[in-house]
Amino acid sequence: MASDAEVFSDKLERMFAHLVEAEQWERILELGPQLLSNDPENWFVHAMMAQAALEVDEKLKQARLHGNAALRIEPEESFSHLLMARIHRKANRLLDAKRSLLEALKFEPEDADLWQEFGWNCYQRGDFITAREAVKQARSFKPNDSSIENLATAVAGLADDESRLDVYDQIEGYERALRHDPEDATVMHNIGQVYLQDLDDGKNAEEWFRKAAQIDPNQPQFREGLIAAIRRRDPILRVLNFPWNWSKRAFRVGERWQAKKRWLIILLIPLSPIIGALLISGLAIWAVFLFGPAKLYEWLTVTEAMKKAGGVSSYNRGIHRLPFLLRLLIFLSIVPVFIGAVGWFFTAPAAKADHDIIIGGGSIVAMAFGIWWSAKRQNPS
């Protein structure tokens, strides 16, 4: 007959397995140490705690501790190496992640998910040739999978040869992926990114980001994408950030032309000094005169952006309790003073340089510090 301790331990193990199935990561981190106190060499508990640590606030130190333990206990288990690859990726150690994935593939060479993970690793490292090979392998073991088609489209969208997809072909590729899984929020997010970054189309971007956020409201990047699209549609921010957004779009167009229309790049070489001067001048004006006001406006209107995104803003005290029109009036009154101070600082006669540095520079620093300090008080986390 089993002892009370054995019955209790069995109950804990069944509870832990249930939490894993339900993906209750925080509870897994709470219960795991109790199981490990009775069985320190339990591979499954170490592996799931490493996974949970990655999911909950990306606790890399704890994830690495349990991931190394799982790898030591079961060095021939592919999931042990996959866990370490994910830990390395979170730490931005992509080459170490690559080595871990190759080790995992030695034990499971026909695992489509491993090939897909390896493909994303190659994509992040800019190795698009190997990424395409990884996509072929993943497709051969799991055809018609939305996540694999998502990877294939992402890789083809950045390829540096004739196979590179243009913007609308990328959207079509992502939409084909959605036919395999209409609820794939990651694919929706990527469509939103294409509309936002490549086409400067905030309206369609907002629509796709909102769909993704509705399916998975706990994914921060979906909410961030939605807020970015809402910001892009704001007429004041469009004016303030025009040089920056235009420069980014011009750079992306140049990348695509370099891959598929190199003849056009060659024809534009004589105009490159003029184009370069326009880009540099625009970015300089934006950085000096418009970046500060844009960030100030974003901070003053964060409550409206969060509400439009369907969230609740933590900026609910102080100046953010004032009506929007009053905050807009405050912004419109500060901006001319700021631009005037910056202009004075850069155009002052040499005889007044010291005075201008103290007055103009001090005003700019004081304004920036005031915004930072107020934001910190409003949102301490």
Side-chain angles (χ1 to χ4, degrees):
M1 184 175 180
S3 65
D4 291 343
E6 290 174 334
V7 171
F8 181 70
S9 178
D10 182 63
K11 186 180 294 186
L12 282 181
E13 289 180 1
R14 283 188 277 111
M15 184 185 301
F16 188 83
H18 174 71
L19 293 175
V20 170
E21 186 177 352
E23 297 185 350
Q24 297 289 320
W25 305 116
E26 292 184 358
R27 295 285 307 281
I28 288 170
L29 291 175
E30 295 172 1
L31 184 59
Q34 297 182 51
L35 289 169
L36 291 176
S37 64
N38 296 325
D39 184 7
E41 298 297 297
N42 190 317
W43 173 83
F44 179 71
V45 176
H46 277 296
M48 291 302 101
M49 286 195 68
Q51 180 70 23
L54 287 176
E55 298 289 344
V56 179
D57 297 328
E58 298 183 3
K59 299 178 179 179
L60 285 179
K61 186 176 180 180
Q62 190 175 1
R64 189 174 291 111
L65 175 68
H66 291 289
N68 283 327
L71 185 61
R72 174 180 53 80
I73 296 167
E74 291 289 350
E76 296 186 2
E77 171 61 53
S78 64
F79 189 69
S80 299
H81 295 281
L82 177 59
L83 273 175
M84 292 308 301
R86 289 173 176 171
I87 293 167
H88 291 318
R89 184 185 65 196
K90 291 290 185 182
N92 202 30
R93 297 165 57 180
L94 297 179
L95 287 176
D96 289 335
K98 173 189 174 182
R99 284 188 281 268
S100 294
L101 287 168
L102 290 174
E103 286 295 320
L105 285 167
K106 288 181 182 178
F107 302 109
E108 295 287 348
E110 297 184 1
D111 189 320
D113 294 331
L114 279 178
W115 280 109
Q116 180 184 337
E117 192 98 14
F118 181 64
W120 279 118
N121 177 271
C122 296
Y123 173 86
Q124 291 172 324
R125 290 185 293 105
D127 185 359
F128 301 118
I129 294 176
T130 309
R132 280 202 294 261
E133 293 302 316
V135 167
K136 289 180 182 178
Q137 292 288 346
R139 278 173 166 166
S140 67
F141 301 121
K142 190 189 283 188
N144 302 324
D145 180 81
S146 65
S147 57
I148 294 174
E149 295 307 314
N150 176 50
L151 169 61
T153 303
V155 171
L158 289 180
D160 53 4
D161 56 23
E162 290 294 327
S163 66
R164 181 173 184 142
L165 298 178
D166 64 26
V167 175
Y168 295 102
D169 287 336
Q170 286 180 58
I171 293 173
E172 186 178 340
Y174 286 128
E175 289 177 342
R176 281 198 303 270
L178 280 178
R179 296 188 194 115
H180 302 304
D181 182 3
E183 299 294 306
D184 193 323
T186 301
V187 178
M188 296 176 183
H189 172 264
N190 287 345
I191 295 176
Q193 287 288 2
V194 174
Y195 275 114
L196 185 67
Q197 303 298 341
D198 292 300
L199 295 174
D200 196 24
D201 185 345
K203 181 179 180 181
N204 279 308
E206 180 182 344
E207 178 183 339
W208 284 103
F209 285 134
R210 196 175 295 280
K211 288 179 181 179
Q214 288 171 349
I215 292 173
D216 188 356
N218 297 320
Q219 182 60 256
Q221 66 176 354
F222 299 163
R223 184 70 57 187
E224 290 168 4
L226 177 56
I227 292 174
I230 291 170
R231 295 289 200 194
R232 188 66 62 88
R233 297 186 68 187
D234 189 301
I236 293 178
L237 281 176
R238 286 191 69 84
V239 172
L240 293 174
N241 287 326
F242 175 78
W244 172 247
N245 291 331
W246 186 84
S247 299
K248 285 197 301 182
R249 190 172 179 186
F251 179 76
R252 287 176 174 270
V253 170
E255 279 189 318
R256 290 197 296 273
W257 285 358
Q258 185 180 6
K260 302 191 72 170
K261 298 180 180 179
R262 293 181 181 175
W263 58 271
L264 189 55
I265 295 288
I266 295 172
L267 290 177
L268 290 175
I269 287 177
L271 297 176
S272 59
I274 299 174
I275 296 172
L278 287 173
L279 287 173
I280 293 172
S281 300
L283 287 175
I285 292 171
W286 174 78
V288 173
F289 292 100
L290 302 178
F291 174 76
K295 291 303 175 185
L296 173 62
Y297 180 82
E298 286 182 5
W299 176 70
L300 287 173
T301 59
V302 65
T303 303
E304 282 68 32
M306 290 294 293
K307 286 180 180 178
K308 289 179 181 178
V312 178
S313 174
S314 58
Y315 288 78
N316 54 8
R317 293 179 302 209
I319 196 171
H320 292 94
R321 301 182 71 175
L322 298 176
F324 168 73
L325 289 178
L326 184 54
R327 280 178 279 140
L328 181 61
L329 182 62
I330 292 171
F331 168 77
L332 293 175
S333 63
I334 290 176
V335 168
V337 176
F338 173 80
I339 293 177
V342 173
W344 186 27
F345 179 76
F346 281 101
T347 61
K352 296 172 55 183
D354 293 338
H355 177 73
D356 290 338
I357 289 174
I358 295 173
I359 302 300
S363 300
I364 296 169
V365 171
M367 177 181 170
F369 179 79
I371 295 171
W372 171 80
W373 177 254
S374 181
K376 184 178 180 181
R377 290 190 62 192
Q378 296 294 333
N379 189 18
S381 60

